[in-house]
Amino acid sequence: MQKSDWWCGLAIILISLFFIWGSLAMPWSDKGFDWSGAPGLTPLVLAIFLGITGIILMVRSRTNPKFYEQLEKSMAPPVVEEDDDSIEEEEPVGGELPAFLKSEKIRVALVILLCAIYTFILLGRFHYIAATAVFVAAFILVFRGAGWLQTGIIAVLVGVCVWLVFQQGFGVFLP
Amino acid sequence: MSLWTVVTEFIKLLNATTIFNVFWATAFGIVVGMLPGLSATMAVALLTGLTFGFAPDQAVVILIAAYVGAIYGGSHSAILLGIPGTASNAAACLDGNPLAKKGEAGYAIGLATAASALGTFFGLICLAIISPLLGKIALEFASWEFFVLAVFGIVICGNLTAPKDPLKGWVAGLLGLLLSQIGQDPIQAFPRFTFGSLQMRGGLSLIPVLVGAYGVGEIIAVMQSPVGYKVKAKITRVLPKLSDLFRYWKTIIRSGVIGVIIGAIPGVGEDTAAWIAYDFAKRFSKKPEEFGRGSHEGLIAAETANNSCVGGAIIPVLTLAVPGSAPAAVLLAAMWLHGIRPGPLLPIEQPTFIATTTAIFFLATIAMAIVGLSFVRPIVQVLRVPRTILMPIVFVLCSVGAYAINGRLFDVGVMFLCGLLGYVMRENNYPAAPLVLGFILGPMADDNFRRAMIIRSGDFSPFFTRPICVVLWLLTLAVILSRSGLWDLVKRRTAKVAG
């Protein structure tokens, strides 16, 4: 956490510098307003405060190890206990989970990738039902949520139902 | 506002369309709230986009019903899975899940339902009484007070949502404030941080930011673990014994009061209320040793507080246009979208609106109790659906919600990027609530700050001399000092001098 705080602090300072630069680049006086009504005034003040918090975070991560020791001690333990009889682990229905799907980082990367493909590539370029069905099917198959046939049925049903309910029922024009 | 006005408004709501909408929206809220990872904020945000084409009165009814349902619904998974459906039900896990393990899952759900209904009822009474009084004070607010109120909201929200490290809460709040500055500025119409993009000139809309930070961030987090859980417990008796409720009447009232107070503080949500009420219940209990091992009192305290917090969170929404919690923030945005302008002028522009809102809450509470107690078994079936099937469907619904507001694919992209931001923040222990509150309060803070500066030709002094500003600054300072270590230093010095 100490290390991540140092990097977060650095990122926060860079973000604040970007907003400071952007604010200063705006006009600070023109017809009808001086500095007190300038469009860059509020973002400048906010960015300065953000920069200060970033500096505090970076300095703290290097100078106050006791704070992090106390913080880690106070972290709550997980709520779910392993010997609990009232719940059970989900079994992968669509086959055994391959080793790479047991890595949390790879799982996160796959979720982000699938959602990004749906958001930036499929939506708007293909018919809504087709785009949605492809996304849902890919998601379920990648994470072994169901077999091929079941996945196909679920994917088409989701695409058709969402389209019918929102486009036809609620009058929302879908992409 | 008299009681008679509330009764009149309640009678007006008793028509087939409204009742139908209240029931399905409550059931929808319960289901979304119940699913681990999906929050009440997301339920309300999702419906805001989906009900965009509805008549304003029906849209508000649906959103309030979903809000009430979602806060309560999270208790189902807290009890059955030991995983809170929403953050506000985390405290309910401590006693709800041990009760399920003892074979009392149905009864625990029944108790949680009764406590939630009582909590919401308590919250709506406070909403009806306090809102008009606070509304009168709010009429004294000018640009200076609104700006200081925004600062106060961010500071206290950051402080309470990241109690172990408030600095991260404040960072999140400042980031939210800065994100809200993107787009055309409200006074000079100058495009800020838009890079010449026409889409960016319109600014970032609240719903995509909210759905992204809460919904998409949560979908990624839910899918992160290779191990998922599903319910095995059987549901037996559901109806709670009245004697159990009467026995803990003091706990119910105390938790209700805590919920309303915490709810009324800007940005501090139902989760904080539940934890504080749980802690108080344990301190005052005759059997504190049972807490954490299946105490009825603990479960009642947590569930009463989180639902009474809903009423509390609506109070500043209606009177000051400042949200008391994240779902209330979405509700506020939804009201704006439908042409309702909450704030000090609301009682003048729409004299019966507070009474109508109170009546809607009452109807939603009844629906919650009926749906909660009657349909436990079918609703719980949703928890048996694997997350690998559920999460892509949720993402699809999120994208529909984000798209529906303006019909722009740009908003779906914003939602996705805010989802990444929400996930990164979550992984590094930065709370999402101050980010969202900052995004909501940003335009208000900017507009009022610059307006105040223009009125007094750049003179800062009214920010520090007007009485309400002074009180708000002192409270803000007290919050910062109490968490910065300076307070401990002052106490040590005082003790040294005294000793």
Side-chain angles (χ1 to χ4, degrees), chain A residues 1 5 27 37-39 42 57 60 74 79 84-90 104 107-108 128 145 166 173, chain B residues 50 80 82 101 164-165 168 188 190 192 223-224 228 230 232-233 387-388 400 403 423 429-430 446 450:
Chain A
M1 194 177 291
D5 271 5
T42 316
L57 210 56
R60 189 183 74 181
S74 66
V79 181
D84 188 350
D85 290 336
S86 61
I87 59 172
E88 61 185 357
E89 279 188 22
E90 264 179 21
E104 291 195 349
R107 290 178 70 89
V108 168
Y128 183 78
F166 295 108
F173 288 99
Chain B
L50 306 182
L80 295 168
K101 286 178 190 167
K164 287 168 192 158
D165 192 359
K168 292 189 174 177
Q188 321 292 355
F190 187 85
R192 298 189 289 200
M223 289 305 297
Q224 184 172 358
K230 64 178 182 182
K232 225 169 74 177
R387 65 205 164 117
T388 40
V400 174
Y403 181 80
Y423 174 73
N429 301 310
Y430 290 82
D446 175 38
R450 282 164 59 210

Side-chain angles (χ1 to χ4, degrees), chain A residues 80 87, chain B residues 30-38 72-86 89 93 96-97 109 231 380 383:
Chain A
V80 179
I87 59 172
Chain B
I30 293 174
V31 170
V32 174
M34 189 171 66
L35 294 169
L38 306 186
Y72 153 72
S75 64
H76 285 53
S77 46
I79 291 165
L80 295 168
L81 290 174
I83 303 167
T86 67
N89 306 100
C93 272
N97 193 238
I109 290 176
V231 177
V380 164
L383 286 177

Side-chain angles (χ1 to χ4, degrees), chain A residues 1 4-5 8-9 12 15 18-19 21-23 26-27 33 35-43 45-47 49-50 53 56-57 60 67 71 74-76 79-81 84-90 93 97 101-104 107-108 111-112 115-116 118-120 123-124 128 132 135-136 139-140 143-146 150 154 158 162 166 170 172-175, chain B residues 24 49-51 53-54 80-84 93 97 100-101 164-165 167-168 170-171 174-175 177-179 181-182 185 187-188 190-193 195 219-220 223-233 385-389 391-393 395-397 399-400 403-404 407 409 412-413 415-417 420 423 428-430 445-446 449-450 453-454 457-458 460:
Chain A
M1 194 177 291
S4 73
D5 271 5
C8 285
I12 288 164
I15 293 169
F18 162 76
F19 276 101
W21 165 78
S23 307
M26 290 175 203
F33 70 92
W35 70 271
S36 61
L41 180 64
T42 316
V45 174
L46 293 172
F49 276 106
L50 185 72
T53 56
I56 295 173
L57 210 56
R60 189 183 74 181
F67 171 81
L71 196 64
S74 66
M75 289 293 180
V79 181
V80 179
E81 292 166 20
D84 188 350
D85 290 336
S86 61
I87 59 172
E88 61 185 357
E89 279 188 22
E90 264 179 21
V93 186
L97 271 188
L101 275 182
K102 287 174 184 163
S103 153
E104 291 195 349
R107 290 178 70 89
V108 168
V111 174
I112 292 171
C115 294
Y118 180 62
T119 306
F120 297 113
L123 279 181
Y128 183 78
T132 302
F135 165 69
V136 173
F139 201 105
I140 297 174
F143 290 101
R144 308 294 190 272
Q150 205 186 350
I154 293 169
V158 171
V162 172
F166 295 108
F170 290 170
V172 175
F173 288 99
L174 295 170
Chain B
W24 77 253
L50 306 182
T51 57
F54 280 49
L80 295 168
L81 290 174
I83 303 167
C93 272
N97 193 238
K101 286 178 190 167
K164 287 168 192 158
D165 192 359
L167 182 65
K168 292 189 174 177
W170 300 331
V171 168
L174 283 166
L175 267 179
L177 284 167
L178 275 169
L179 279 180
Q181 305 300 304
I182 295 171
D185 103 87
I187 297 178
Q188 321 292 355
F190 187 85
R192 298 189 289 200
F193 313 106
F195 307 104
I219 291 170
I220 301 171
M223 289 305 297
Q224 184 172 358
S225 166
V227 184
Y229 294 94
K230 64 178 182 182
V231 177
K232 225 169 74 177
V385 178
R387 65 205 164 117
T388 40
I389 295 177
M391 290 305 136
I393 300 173
F395 186 81
V396 168
L397 293 175
S399 62
V400 174
Y403 181 80
L409 274 174
V412 185
M415 177 201 79
F416 174 76
L417 295 175
L420 292 189
Y423 174 73
N428 290 290
N429 301 310
Y430 290 82
D446 175 38
F449 177 57
R450 282 164 59 210
M453 295 296 283
I454 291 167
S457 309
F460 282 95

